[in-house]
Amino acid sequence: MGSLNSRILQCTEEPQQPEPQAGPSYVSGSRKRKQSTGPGLSPESERSHTFLGQEEDLQQVVCTRQGKKVKITSEHAYQTLFLNGETSDIKIRALGKVWCLHKTFLCQSNYFVTVLRDSWKDCHEDIIDLEINDQNINVESLDFVLGWLYRNDYVFIEPLQVPGVLATACLFQVEDLIQECDETMEETINVKTVCSFYAAAETYGLHSVKTECFEWLLHNLMTHPSVELYKELSTDLMNMVISSPDLLVMQKEIDIYTTLKQWMFLRLNPGWKGSMKQLLVKANNWFSGHREHSASISFLETEQGIAFQPVFKNLRFHHIICDLASTRVIEQDALIPSEWLSCVYKQQWFTLLRAQQYREIGPRDISETELEEYSMRCGKKIVRDGKYSWKWSGYNFGVHLYVIFTNHYIIFKQSAFRKRHGGSICLQPQRNIAFRLTLVYFDSSGKLSFRKTTGYKILTFEKNEEKVVMKLGRIPLSFPLYIFCNFLFISLENPGN
C-alpha cells in the first residue's frame, strides 16, 4: 500500500479556530454523518491531492482546517487502517492498550491537533501516552471514538454505551460526535438510561438532555414506578424531583412518602430482587426491624438514615397529617424525627383555630410561587373512556371537593354538610380553592406525548355548586390518561412545615 504520508495530505501544524458544525443529517430514515468540505484547497494542495488505490476500495481523503470533519475512508479503510493498523505513523497508548493510528485521521480531533503539534515540536515521537483521569472513559469508549474518526457513515451507539462515548468525545473535542451523542440520548431516554444520561449531561454540559431527563423523572417516578429506577436514583437527584411542584403525583401526598420509603430501602439494600408489588411489604418489614432495636429514635436520625434527611424534608407534611389514616402510617413507621412532626402538628392546630375564628373561606389572592411551594399534589389514572367521579381525601377545614371526568369536561363540585353546628368551619356557604389542573398522556417509552393544563386559578364555589375547570371538546383522547392537580384550600399565614 506504501507510506500513508505519501498518499494523503498532512494537517497543518498551527491550529485554527474550528468553524461551527451542523448536526448529523437524516437520509432515508437513518442518520449519516455530514462531510465537511472546508474552506477549499489551494492550487498547490489541489495538485498534491491524490487518490488511494482503487483496488482497496478507499475513498478520497482530504484534511482541512482543525476541527472540520473530513471526507474520509470507507468501511474497508476502517478495517484496513484502524483495525489492522496498516501504514500507521503514530501510536496512542492509554489504559493499557496501544492503537496504531494515522495523524491525518487524528487531526479531525482538536485535542489531537494540539497533542501532535506539541509532540512534533518536542521530539517527534511516534508514540504518545495519554493520561485518562475521567472514570467514565474506558478502553471500549476510546476504541469506539478513535475508530469513529475513520468512518464516514453514521455508526449506531448503544444507549448504555453513550455516557462513555460522550466523555471520550468531549476529551478529544470531537464536536460532531458530541452532537451524535446528544441526539441519541434525547431519543432513548427510558427507565434504564435516564439516570446515567442525566449524570452525563450534567457533567459534559448537554443542557437540553439534562432538562429532558429531569422532566422524564418528574413524569414517571410515580406514574410508572420501577425497582430498577429507584435503585439508580441518587439522593441529590431524588431530592430535586421530590421538591418540584411539577412532580406528577399518583393519589396524594402520603404516596410520595411511601415512594421515598421504598426508594430508601432499595438504596440501603441494592442487592434486593423482587417486584414492585413485593417492595412495600419488604420495606415495611425491614424498617420494623429497626424499630425493635432502636425504638428511642427515628430511622432518619440513625447513622444509616441521616443521609436521607434532606430528601424527606421536602415532604409537605401539612398535607399528610390532615388525614387520620396517613397520620397513623407516619407515626407507626417511626422514620420521621418527632421534632419535625411536632412543628407540623402545632402549625396545623393554629390553622384550624384561625379557620374557625375567622370563618376561613380559602385563598383570595395567591402568587404562583406560593401555590407551587405549599399546594397539595394529587393524581388520578383514567384507564379507559367513560364517566368517573372521585374525591381526593384529606380535604378537611370544611372542604369537600369532588372531581368529575367525562370525555368532554373535567368538573369540580364543592359539597357541604346539610346540618349546621355552631362554630363549625365545615358550614361556610362559600369557598375559594386555588389550583392547577393538568391532563397528560404518555407514549410507550414514558415520554409525555399530550399535555393540557388550566394554569393557576382561583375559583369561588357556593354550596353544592359545580364548575367546569377544563373543556376537552373534540380533542382525541388516548388512554390511559392521567389527571394531576395542585390544590390550596386554606389561605397562607405562616404556611411552613
Side-chain angles (χ1 to χ4, degrees):
M1 182 173 178
S3 172
L4 180 68
N5 290 339
S6 66
R7 289 183 173 272
I8 54 182
L9 300 176
Q10 291 295 326
C11 291
T12 58
E13 292 188 18
E14 294 301 325
Q16 301 179 37
Q17 291 299 319
E19 296 181 8
Q21 300 278 324
S25 60
Y26 290 79
V27 181
S28 301
S30 62
R31 279 186 275 188
K32 182 179 179 68
R33 297 234 302 273
K34 284 189 176 179
Q35 298 173 347
S36 174
T37 58
L41 298 174
S42 65
E44 293 77 14
S45 296
E46 291 177 350
R47 288 192 292 270
S48 302
H49 186 69
T50 61
F51 287 92
L52 295 175
Q54 293 182 354
E55 71 276 10
E56 295 165 328
D57 189 30
L58 303 181
Q59 294 180 357
Q60 181 181 1
V61 179
V62 178
C63 182
T64 62
R65 293 192 302 185
Q66 170 198 354
K68 297 294 291 183
K69 196 68 201 158
V70 297
K71 188 175 183 182
I72 56 179
T73 63
S74 66
E75 186 66 23
H76 185 77
Y78 171 78
Q79 177 71 41
T80 302
L81 301 181
F82 177 70
L83 295 182
N84 297 342
E86 293 185 14
T87 67
S88 168
D89 61 355
I90 191 71
K91 293 179 180 178
I92 301 296
R93 181 164 53 203
L95 300 181
K97 181 174 178 176
V98 175
W99 285 266
C100 297
L101 304 173
H102 308 84
K103 295 173 183 176
T104 296
F105 294 99
L106 292 182
C107 281
Q108 298 169 83
S109 155
N110 296 336
Y111 174 87
F112 280 117
V113 167
T114 301
V115 169
L116 292 174
R117 180 192 63 199
D118 293 343
S119 67
W120 292 337
K121 288 180 178 179
D122 292 341
C123 55
H124 301 281
E125 293 181 352
D126 63 353
I127 186 166
I128 297 176
D129 286 293
L130 300 182
E131 183 178 352
I132 306 297
N133 298 316
D134 190 334
Q135 295 182 350
N136 293 319
I137 299 175
N138 54 30
V139 170
E140 289 73 21
S141 65
L142 285 168
D143 195 69
F144 182 96
V145 175
L146 292 172
W148 190 90
L149 297 174
Y150 285 73
R151 290 174 141 165
N152 179 41
D153 292 333
Y154 170 75
V155 181
F156 176 74
I157 310 174
E158 290 286 347
L160 295 178
Q161 188 185 13
V162 172
V165 172
L166 174 62
T168 310
C170 288
L171 173 65
F172 292 161
Q173 302 169 42
V174 186
E175 297 300 328
D176 42 354
L177 181 53
I178 294 172
Q179 180 66 24
E180 294 281 2
C181 291
D182 186 299
E183 295 185 7
T184 299
M185 293 166 80
E186 288 186 353
E187 293 169 1
T188 56
I189 297 172
N190 56 49
V191 68
K192 296 179 183 295
T193 62
V194 63
C195 292
S196 62
F197 282 6
Y198 181 91
E202 184 175 44
T203 300
Y204 304 108
L206 301 186
H207 301 297
S208 63
V209 173
K210 178 181 175 181
T211 298
E212 288 197 30
C213 288
F214 188 71
E215 289 179 349
W216 190 98
L217 288 169
L218 291 175
H219 300 157
N220 288 269
L221 178 67
M222 298 189 68
T223 59
H224 301 87
S226 163
V227 170
E228 184 177 11
L229 177 61
Y230 288 178
K231 287 182 178 181
E232 293 294 322
L233 266 171
S234 67
T235 301
D236 289 343
L237 187 51
M238 179 62 95
N239 191 25
M240 290 187 290
V241 171
I242 289 297
S243 62
S244 173
D246 297 319
L247 174 65
L248 300 188
V249 174
M250 287 305 299
Q251 302 303 327
K252 51 186 179 175
E253 199 77 22
I254 184 63
D255 296 285
I256 307 177
Y257 165 82
T258 301
T259 295
L260 288 184
K261 178 167 58 174
Q262 295 173 105
W263 164 77
M264 181 166 63
F265 164 76
L266 289 173
R267 294 292 293 180
L268 294 170
N269 299 274
W272 183 81
K273 296 181 180 180
S275 66
M276 281 301 302
K277 291 183 178 180
Q278 300 168 322
L279 178 56
L280 182 56
V281 173
K282 184 64 179 180
N284 283 334
N285 291 338
W286 193 84
F287 287 116
S288 68
H290 158 76
R291 292 197 301 272
E292 294 175 1
H293 294 90
S294 305
S296 59
I297 61 173
S298 69
F299 183 79
L300 291 182
E301 294 174 292
T302 66
E303 184 176 350
Q304 284 182 301
I306 196 168
F308 299 97
Q309 283 193 15
V311 184
F312 278 83
K313 280 184 177 179
N314 282 306
L315 286 169
R316 302 179 180 186
F317 289 105
H318 53 292
H319 291 306
I320 294 177
I321 67 166
C322 61
D323 174 75
L324 181 59
S326 300
T327 304
R328 284 175 172 166
V329 169
I330 292 288
E331 290 287 351
Q332 291 170 4
D333 283 351
L335 301 182
I336 309 301
S338 58
E339 290 82 2
W340 296 14
L341 295 177
S342 297
C343 294
V344 182
Y345 289 141
K346 180 180 178 180
Q347 181 61 47
Q348 288 294 82
W349 178 242
F350 275 109
T351 301
L352 178 62
L353 292 178
R354 189 182 75 247
Q356 282 187 320
Q357 183 171 349
Y358 296 114
R359 300 284 179 171
E360 173 72 64
I361 66 169
R364 294 175 174 84
D365 183 26
I366 187 171
S367 71
E368 182 174 319
T369 301
E370 289 174 327
L371 184 56
E372 288 182 342
E373 187 172 354
Y374 300 116
S375 60
M376 183 175 186
R377 297 169 288 183
C378 307
K380 181 75 173 179
K381 182 179 180 180
I382 306 295
V383 179
R384 61 182 64 88
D385 197 6
K387 185 175 181 178
Y388 296 83
S389 178
W390 67 91
K391 180 183 74 171
W392 277 306
S393 60
Y395 288 94
N396 53 5
F397 302 112
V399 180
H400 297 269
L401 187 70
Y402 291 87
V403 185
I404 301 168
F405 169 86
T406 73
N407 59 357
H408 298 294
Y409 304 102
I410 299 177
I411 299 169
F412 287 169
K413 180 180 180 180
Q414 194 268 335
S415 181
F417 290 123
R418 295 180 179 178
K419 295 183 179 181
R420 289 187 171 274
H421 298 277
S424 173
I425 63 168
C426 298
L427 300 177
Q428 297 302 321
Q430 189 179 76
R431 297 300 309 229
N432 292 341
I433 295 176
F435 72 96
R436 178 187 64 181
L437 185 76
T438 304
L439 183 68
V440 303
Y441 172 75
F442 301 99
D443 64 18
S444 58
S445 67
K447 288 188 177 181
L448 207 65
S449 61
F450 169 78
R451 181 178 186 270
K452 182 177 175 63
T453 182
T454 61
Y456 292 99
K457 292 184 176 181
I458 295 180
L459 287 182
T460 300
F461 289 88
E462 302 294 336
K463 183 174 67 173
N464 296 325
E465 184 179 11
E466 293 184 359
K467 289 197 174 184
V468 175
V469 295
M470 181 180 288
K471 294 182 179 180
L472 303 178
R474 297 181 179 180
I475 296 175
L477 300 178
S478 300
F479 295 87
L481 276 173
Y482 294 84
I483 299 176
F484 301 97
C485 205
N486 295 57
F487 282 110
L488 195 63
F489 47 92
I490 293 293
S491 59
L492 293 177
E493 181 177 321
N494 299 323
N497 287 358

